């Protein structure tokens, strides 16, 4: 095995998109945590019109948008429109 031979199997274009999106999501989360530390609220969204968003931001046609993160300051209880749902912690966290 050569020293510089890539040791990963995930090499298709689809696999690379997944990998890039994972990295972007981590960067997005870091941004959200940093905003919270500065007293701002954020809300990740993936339900948006990507065509219009790319046009608005003057991004190339082939660009991919990982997510949109609106930022602001919460409007207290008035800013909550409906019942909030949280997946039970034990359903998503398993200690091995
Ligand atoms: C990657 C990602 C994308 C999301 N996209 C949407 C979306 O398009 N529309 C939406 O209503 N909520 C979306 N959500 C959920 C909201 O960000 C938010 O968590 C949800 O509205 C619940 O709000 P709450 O956390 O204040 O209870 C998304 C969450 C994540 C992590």
């Amino acid at each position: 095995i050569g020293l510089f031979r890539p040791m990963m199997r995930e090499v298709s274009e689809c696999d690379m998109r997944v990998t890039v999106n994972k990295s972007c999501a981590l960067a997005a989360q870091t941004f959200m945590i940093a905003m919270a530390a500065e007293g701002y609220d954020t809300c990740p969204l993936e339900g948006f019109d990507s065509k219009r968003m790319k046009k608005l931001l003057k991004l190339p046609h082939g660009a991919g948008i990982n997510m949109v993160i609106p930022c602001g300051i919460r409007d207290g209880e008035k800013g909550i429109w409906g019942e909030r749902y949280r997946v039970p912690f034990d359903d998503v966290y398993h200690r091995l």
Side-chain angles (χ1 to χ4, degrees):
I1 299 173
L3 190 60
F4 297 106
R5 182 171 166 198
M7 295 298 287
M8 59 188 287
R9 292 180 200 280
E10 294 76 14
V11 288
S12 74
E13 193 173 325
C14 180
D15 291 332
M16 283 192 285
R17 289 177 83 88
V18 170
T19 302
V20 168
N21 274 291
K22 284 180 188 174
S23 297
C24 286
L26 285 173
Q29 186 181 42
T30 304
F31 172 71
M32 292 170 71
I33 292 169
M35 287 293 277
E38 293 295 323
Y40 290 95
D41 298 296
T42 58
C43 182
L45 297 175
E46 57 188 351
F48 54 87
D49 186 332
S50 60
K51 261 190 180 172
R52 293 180 76 179
M53 191 64 72
K54 280 188 235 180
K55 202 172 165 195
L56 186 75
L57 298 174
K58 297 183 174 41
L59 294 173
H61 177 72
I65 300 176
N66 178 253
M67 66 182 89
V68 170
I69 307 182
C71 306
I73 294 175
R74 71 184 69 189
D75 193 10
E77 288 299 311
K78 266 199 303 169
I80 300 172
W81 295 353
E83 198 182 325
R84 301 169 93 189
Y85 176 75
R86 293 291 183 267
V87 176
F89 182 73
D90 290 339
D91 284 2
V92 292
Y93 181 85
H94 302 281
R95 189 176 179 150
L96 301 175

